[in-house]
Amino acid sequence: MDPGAILERFLDRPRVAYVRAVLDTYGDAAGGLLANGLAFAALFATIPVALVTLGLAGWLAADPRIQAALAATLIEALPPLADLINGAVDALQTGASVASIVGIVGLVWTVSQLYVALDVAFARIYSATPARDPFRRTARGFVWVGLLMAAAIAAIVVASMATIVDAVAPDGIPAASAIRAALTSVPVLAAMAIGTVAVIYRVLPPDPPAWRSVRLPAVVAGLGIVGLSQVFLLVAPRLVGVAALVGTLATAFVALAWLSFTFQVLLYGAAWVRVRDERRLVDAASALSGPAATAESRGGGQ
Protein backbone atom coordinates (compact mmCIF):
# COMPACT_ATOMS: atom_id res chain seq x y z
CA MET A 1 0.00 0.00 0.00
CA ASP A 2 1.20 3.48 -0.91
CA PRO A 3 1.36 5.71 2.22
CA GLY A 4 1.10 8.80 0.03
CA ALA A 5 -2.12 7.60 -1.56
CA ILE A 6 -3.58 6.74 1.86
CA LEU A 7 -2.68 10.18 3.18
CA GLU A 8 -4.16 11.85 0.10
CA ARG A 9 -7.43 9.95 0.47
CA PHE A 10 -7.54 10.92 4.15
CA LEU A 11 -6.93 14.60 3.37
CA ASP A 12 -9.62 14.55 0.68
CA ARG A 13 -12.33 13.41 3.09
CA PRO A 14 -15.02 16.11 3.38
CA ARG A 15 -14.56 16.77 7.11
CA VAL A 16 -10.77 16.85 6.83
CA ALA A 17 -10.98 19.13 3.79
CA TYR A 18 -13.31 21.40 5.75
CA VAL A 19 -10.81 21.71 8.62
CA ARG A 20 -7.98 22.23 6.12
CA ALA A 21 -9.93 25.09 4.52
CA VAL A 22 -10.22 26.83 7.89
CA LEU A 23 -6.52 26.30 8.68
CA ASP A 24 -5.49 27.47 5.20
CA THR A 25 -7.60 30.63 5.55
CA TYR A 26 -5.98 31.37 8.91
CA GLY A 27 -2.49 30.56 7.61
CA ASP A 28 -2.81 32.59 4.41
CA ALA A 29 -3.72 35.63 6.53
CA ALA A 30 -0.67 35.07 8.82
CA GLY A 31 -3.07 34.72 11.73
CA GLY A 32 -0.34 34.11 14.31
CA LEU A 33 1.41 37.39 13.53
CA LEU A 34 -1.89 39.25 13.49
CA ALA A 35 -2.82 37.80 16.91
CA ASN A 36 0.52 38.89 18.40
CA GLY A 37 0.07 42.42 17.06
CA LEU A 38 -3.46 42.58 18.43
CA ALA A 39 -2.19 41.35 21.80
CA PHE A 40 0.26 44.27 22.02
CA ALA A 41 -2.45 46.75 21.01
CA ALA A 42 -4.88 45.33 23.57
CA LEU A 43 -2.27 45.38 26.34
CA PHE A 44 -1.57 49.06 25.73
CA ALA A 45 -5.34 49.72 25.79
CA THR A 46 -5.78 48.03 29.18
CA ILE A 47 -4.49 50.86 31.37
CA PRO A 48 -6.54 53.67 29.72
CA VAL A 49 -9.70 51.54 29.85
CA ALA A 50 -9.17 50.79 33.55
CA LEU A 51 -8.29 54.42 34.30
CA VAL A 52 -11.38 55.77 32.57
CA THR A 53 -13.74 53.21 34.12
CA LEU A 54 -12.44 53.72 37.65
CA GLY A 55 -11.99 57.48 37.17
CA LEU A 56 -15.57 57.89 35.98
CA ALA A 57 -16.68 55.90 39.01
CA GLY A 58 -14.90 58.43 41.23
CA TRP A 59 -16.45 61.38 39.38
CA LEU A 60 -20.00 60.07 39.08
CA ALA A 61 -20.38 58.25 42.38
CA ALA A 62 -17.70 59.78 44.64
CA ASP A 63 -17.61 56.57 46.67
CA PRO A 64 -14.33 54.61 47.09
CA ARG A 65 -16.37 51.42 47.60
CA ILE A 66 -17.74 51.69 44.05
CA GLN A 67 -14.23 52.01 42.64
CA ALA A 68 -13.16 49.00 44.70
CA ALA A 69 -16.16 46.98 43.50
CA LEU A 70 -15.46 47.86 39.87
CA ALA A 71 -11.76 47.02 40.23
CA ALA A 72 -12.63 43.66 41.80
CA THR A 73 -15.10 42.95 38.99
CA LEU A 74 -12.53 43.81 36.31
CA ILE A 75 -9.92 41.61 37.99
CA GLU A 76 -12.30 38.66 38.30
CA ALA A 77 -13.36 39.03 34.66
CA LEU A 78 -9.78 39.53 33.37
CA PRO A 79 -7.54 37.69 35.86
CA PRO A 80 -4.27 37.88 33.88
CA LEU A 81 -4.55 41.69 33.95
CA ALA A 82 -4.94 41.93 37.73
CA ASP A 83 -1.62 43.69 38.40
CA LEU A 84 -2.22 46.19 35.59
CA ILE A 85 -5.68 47.03 36.94
CA ASN A 86 -4.26 47.41 40.45
CA GLY A 87 -1.67 49.76 38.97
CA ALA A 88 -4.49 51.84 37.52
CA VAL A 89 -6.11 51.99 40.96
CA ASP A 90 -2.83 53.18 42.49
CA ALA A 91 -2.52 55.85 39.79
CA LEU A 92 -6.00 57.12 40.59
CA GLN A 93 -5.25 57.24 44.31
CA THR A 94 -2.13 59.35 43.75
CA GLY A 95 -3.70 61.73 41.22
CA ALA A 96 -7.26 60.88 40.25
CA SER A 97 -8.17 63.89 38.13
CA VAL A 98 -4.95 63.96 36.10
CA ALA A 99 -4.96 60.18 35.65
CA SER A 100 -8.56 60.22 34.47
CA ILE A 101 -7.96 62.98 31.91
CA VAL A 102 -4.87 61.19 30.61
CA GLY A 103 -6.88 57.97 30.61
CA ILE A 104 -9.65 59.48 28.48
CA VAL A 105 -7.14 60.75 25.90
CA GLY A 106 -5.37 57.40 25.93
CA LEU A 107 -8.65 55.54 25.69
CA VAL A 108 -9.75 57.43 22.58
CA TRP A 109 -6.43 56.76 20.87
CA THR A 110 -5.68 53.18 21.93
CA VAL A 111 -9.19 51.77 21.54
CA SER A 112 -9.64 53.39 18.12
CA GLN A 113 -6.26 52.00 17.04
CA LEU A 114 -7.13 48.58 18.47
CA TYR A 115 -10.28 48.62 16.37
CA VAL A 116 -8.27 49.61 13.29
CA ALA A 117 -5.89 46.69 13.93
CA LEU A 118 -8.86 44.33 14.30
CA ASP A 119 -10.37 45.66 11.10
CA VAL A 120 -7.10 45.08 9.23
CA ALA A 121 -6.86 41.55 10.65
CA PHE A 122 -10.38 40.69 9.49
CA ALA A 123 -9.65 42.24 6.09
CA ARG A 124 -6.76 39.78 5.75
CA ILE A 125 -8.98 36.89 6.82
CA TYR A 126 -11.56 38.00 4.22
CA SER A 127 -8.93 38.65 1.55
CA ALA A 128 -11.37 38.06 -1.34
CA THR A 129 -13.44 41.10 -0.28
CA PRO A 130 -12.21 44.71 -0.75
CA ALA A 131 -11.07 46.18 2.58
CA ARG A 132 -12.51 49.35 4.11
CA ASP A 133 -10.72 52.62 3.46
CA PRO A 134 -8.69 54.18 6.34
CA PHE A 135 -11.25 56.97 6.89
CA ARG A 136 -14.09 54.50 7.51
CA ARG A 137 -11.86 52.40 9.75
CA THR A 138 -10.96 55.40 11.91
CA ALA A 139 -14.56 56.62 12.08
CA ARG A 140 -15.79 53.18 13.12
CA GLY A 141 -13.01 53.09 15.74
CA PHE A 142 -14.36 56.27 17.34
CA VAL A 143 -17.83 54.72 17.36
CA TRP A 144 -16.41 51.78 19.31
CA VAL A 145 -14.83 54.21 21.78
CA GLY A 146 -18.29 55.70 22.37
CA LEU A 147 -19.79 52.26 22.90
CA LEU A 148 -17.04 51.38 25.36
CA MET A 149 -17.65 54.60 27.30
CA ALA A 150 -21.37 53.79 27.42
CA ALA A 151 -20.58 50.30 28.72
CA ALA A 152 -18.29 51.77 31.39
CA ILE A 153 -21.00 54.18 32.55
CA ALA A 154 -23.53 51.32 32.64
CA ALA A 155 -21.12 49.29 34.79
CA ILE A 156 -20.71 52.25 37.15
CA VAL A 157 -24.49 52.65 37.46
CA VAL A 158 -24.88 48.95 38.27
CA ALA A 159 -22.07 49.10 40.84
CA SER A 160 -23.55 52.26 42.39
CA MET A 161 -27.00 50.70 42.71
CA ALA A 162 -25.50 47.55 44.20
CA THR A 163 -23.54 49.57 46.76
CA ILE A 164 -26.60 51.62 47.72
CA VAL A 165 -28.75 48.51 48.10
CA ASP A 166 -26.00 46.88 50.13
CA ALA A 167 -25.87 49.92 52.44
CA VAL A 168 -29.61 50.03 53.13
CA ALA A 169 -30.30 46.29 53.04
CA PRO A 170 -30.66 44.37 56.28
CA ASP A 171 -27.60 42.72 57.77
CA GLY A 172 -26.66 39.43 56.18
CA ILE A 173 -27.75 40.43 52.65
CA PRO A 174 -24.56 41.59 50.90
CA ALA A 175 -26.18 42.80 47.67
CA ALA A 176 -23.04 44.26 46.10
CA SER A 177 -21.05 41.08 46.64
CA ALA A 178 -23.88 38.94 45.30
CA ILE A 179 -24.27 41.08 42.15
CA ARG A 180 -20.52 41.10 41.54
CA ALA A 181 -20.34 37.33 42.03
CA ALA A 182 -23.21 36.85 39.57
CA LEU A 183 -21.68 39.16 36.95
CA THR A 184 -18.30 37.43 37.18
CA SER A 185 -19.60 33.85 37.29
CA VAL A 186 -18.42 31.57 34.50
CA PRO A 187 -21.88 31.15 32.86
CA VAL A 188 -22.42 34.93 32.69
CA LEU A 189 -18.89 35.54 31.42
CA ALA A 190 -19.40 32.81 28.80
CA ALA A 191 -22.69 34.35 27.64
CA MET A 192 -21.09 37.81 27.42
CA ALA A 193 -18.09 36.43 25.52
CA ILE A 194 -20.28 34.56 23.04
CA GLY A 195 -22.43 37.64 22.44
CA THR A 196 -19.39 39.90 21.99
CA VAL A 197 -17.67 37.48 19.62
CA ALA A 198 -20.87 37.06 17.59
CA VAL A 199 -21.15 40.84 17.15
CA ILE A 200 -17.47 41.04 16.14
CA TYR A 201 -17.89 38.27 13.56
CA ARG A 202 -20.96 39.99 12.16
CA VAL A 203 -19.72 43.61 12.16
CA LEU A 204 -15.98 43.50 11.37
CA PRO A 205 -15.83 41.54 8.07
CA PRO A 206 -15.95 43.85 5.01
CA ASP A 207 -18.90 41.82 3.69
CA PRO A 208 -21.00 40.82 6.76
CA PRO A 209 -21.68 37.06 6.89
CA ALA A 210 -25.08 35.59 7.66
CA TRP A 211 -26.00 34.98 11.29
CA ARG A 212 -26.33 31.24 10.60
CA SER A 213 -22.65 31.24 9.60
CA VAL A 214 -21.69 33.15 12.75
CA ARG A 215 -23.56 31.27 15.47
CA LEU A 216 -21.53 28.07 15.92
CA PRO A 217 -18.06 29.66 15.59
CA ALA A 218 -19.10 32.41 18.03
CA VAL A 219 -20.19 29.84 20.62
CA VAL A 220 -16.99 27.79 20.26
CA ALA A 221 -14.69 30.84 20.23
CA GLY A 222 -16.50 32.49 23.16
CA LEU A 223 -16.25 29.36 25.27
CA GLY A 224 -12.61 28.96 24.26
CA ILE A 225 -11.77 32.52 25.32
CA VAL A 226 -13.45 32.09 28.71
CA GLY A 227 -11.71 28.72 29.14
CA LEU A 228 -8.34 30.34 28.43
CA SER A 229 -8.97 33.03 31.04
CA GLN A 230 -9.79 30.37 33.62
CA VAL A 231 -6.63 28.42 32.76
CA PHE A 232 -4.51 31.56 33.11
CA LEU A 233 -6.29 32.30 36.39
CA LEU A 234 -4.74 29.08 37.72
CA VAL A 235 -1.40 29.26 35.93
CA ALA A 236 -0.55 32.98 36.09
CA PRO A 237 0.18 33.18 39.87
CA ARG A 238 2.63 30.29 39.53
CA LEU A 239 4.33 31.82 36.50
CA VAL A 240 4.63 35.21 38.17
CA GLY A 241 5.81 33.55 41.38
CA VAL A 242 8.63 31.81 39.52
CA ALA A 243 9.59 35.10 37.88
CA ALA A 244 9.13 37.19 41.03
CA LEU A 245 12.48 38.90 40.52
CA VAL A 246 11.21 40.34 37.23
CA GLY A 247 8.08 41.72 38.88
CA THR A 248 5.69 43.71 36.71
CA LEU A 249 7.54 42.71 33.54
CA ALA A 250 6.63 39.07 34.20
CA THR A 251 2.99 40.08 34.64
CA ALA A 252 3.08 41.89 31.30
CA PHE A 253 4.49 38.80 29.58
CA VAL A 254 1.78 36.60 31.11
CA ALA A 255 -0.88 39.08 30.02
CA LEU A 256 0.60 39.20 26.51
CA ALA A 257 0.57 35.40 26.28
CA TRP A 258 -3.08 35.29 27.37
CA LEU A 259 -4.08 38.03 24.93
CA SER A 260 -2.18 36.37 22.08
CA PHE A 261 -3.94 33.03 22.63
CA THR A 262 -7.25 34.86 22.96
CA PHE A 263 -6.85 36.64 19.63
CA GLN A 264 -5.69 33.44 17.97
CA VAL A 265 -8.95 31.80 19.05
CA LEU A 266 -10.86 34.84 17.76
CA LEU A 267 -9.12 34.77 14.36
CA TYR A 268 -9.47 30.99 13.97
CA GLY A 269 -13.18 31.53 14.56
CA ALA A 270 -13.22 34.31 11.94
CA ALA A 271 -11.61 31.95 9.41
CA TRP A 272 -14.24 29.34 10.29
CA VAL A 273 -17.02 31.91 9.74
CA ARG A 274 -15.61 32.74 6.30
CA VAL A 275 -15.48 29.08 5.26
CA ARG A 276 -19.00 28.45 6.58
CA ASP A 277 -20.39 31.49 4.79
CA GLU A 278 -18.68 30.64 1.50
CA ARG A 279 -20.11 27.11 1.64
CA ARG A 280 -23.52 28.51 2.47
CA LEU A 281 -23.39 30.69 -0.64
CA VAL A 282 -22.26 27.74 -2.77
CA ASP A 283 -25.08 25.57 -1.41
CA ALA A 284 -27.60 28.36 -2.05
CA ALA A 285 -26.37 28.80 -5.62
CA SER A 286 -26.57 25.04 -6.21
CA ALA A 287 -30.11 24.95 -4.84
CA LEU A 288 -31.16 27.78 -7.17
CA SER A 289 -29.51 26.35 -10.27
CA GLY A 290 -30.74 22.80 -9.64
CA PRO A 291 -34.44 23.24 -10.55
CA ALA A 292 -33.57 25.34 -13.61
CA ALA A 293 -31.18 22.71 -14.90
CA THR A 294 -33.82 20.01 -14.35
CA ALA A 295 -36.48 21.99 -16.22
CA GLU A 296 -34.06 22.60 -19.11
CA SER A 297 -33.23 18.94 -19.45
CA ARG A 298 -36.93 18.06 -19.47
CA GLY A 299 -37.65 20.61 -22.19
CA GLY A 300 -34.86 19.24 -24.33
CA GLY A 301 -36.27 15.73 -24.00
CA GLN A 302 -39.63 16.80 -25.34
Side-chain angles (χ1 to χ4, degrees):
M1 298 182 67
D2 184 7
I6 295 174
L7 179 61
E8 187 175 350
R9 285 198 300 270
F10 174 76
L11 294 177
D12 287 339
R13 289 183 177 181
R15 292 184 182 275
V16 178
Y18 186 85
V19 174
R20 286 176 57 202
V22 175
L23 297 178
D24 288 344
T25 301
Y26 179 85
D28 292 342
L33 291 176
L34 293 174
N36 289 336
L38 289 169
F40 274 103
L43 183 65
F44 283 115
T46 299
I47 295 298
V49 170
L51 283 172
V52 168
T53 303
L54 300 174
L56 285 175
W59 284 352
L60 298 178
D63 189 341
R65 293 182 301 171
I66 296 174
Q67 277 190 346
L70 281 172
T73 301
L74 289 172
I75 289 172
E76 290 178 16
L78 306 169
L81 305 179
D83 286 352
L84 299 177
I85 295 171
N86 287 328
V89 174
D90 294 339
L92 285 170
Q93 290 175 349
T94 56
S97 59
V98 175
S100 298
I101 293 170
V102 171
I104 290 174
V105 175
L107 176 74
V108 172
W109 174 253
T110 56
V111 174
S112 62
Q113 293 307 300
L114 175 60
Y115 175 83
V116 169
L118 268 173
D119 196 290
V120 171
F122 272 72
R124 291 184 178 274
I125 294 288
Y126 287 80
S127 56
T129 306
R132 295 186 183 93
D133 59 86
F135 177 79
R136 289 181 62 194
R137 280 177 176 159
T138 304
R140 289 164 68 96
F142 285 121
V143 170
W144 279 91
V145 172
L147 292 175
L148 184 60
M149 293 284 288
I153 292 173
I156 293 165
V157 171
V158 171
S160 302
M161 293 177 62
T163 303
I164 292 171
V165 171
D166 193 39
V168 301
D171 294 339
I173 307 179
S177 301
I179 292 175
R180 187 173 69 248
L183 291 176
T184 56
S185 63
V186 173
V188 173
L189 290 177
M192 293 172 61
I194 291 170
T196 303
V197 171
V199 171
I200 289 173
Y201 287 163
R202 174 69 178 177
V203 172
L204 278 177
D207 186 14
W211 280 111
R212 59 180 293 186
S213 303
V214 167
R215 284 195 295 262
L216 182 58
V219 171
V220 175
L223 293 177
I225 290 170
V226 173
L228 278 173
S229 69
Q230 297 304 308
V231 169
F232 272 87
L233 176 61
L234 299 174
V235 174
R238 294 168 175 80
L239 294 178
V240 176
V242 171
L245 294 176
V246 186
T248 306
L249 184 60
T251 303
F253 276 116
V254 171
L256 273 175
W258 171 66
L259 288 168
S260 177
F261 284 123
T262 297
F263 282 113
Q264 287 184 50
V265 171
L266 184 71
L267 295 181
Y268 270 117
W272 188 8
V273 171
R274 176 185 169 179
V275 171
R276 281 172 61 88
D277 205 53
E278 288 177 347
R279 299 210 171 191
R280 177 189 64 83
L281 294 175
V282 170
D283 292 342
S286 300
L288 289 174
S289 62
T294 305
E296 240 180 70
S297 62
R298 287 180 180 175
Q302 291 174 356

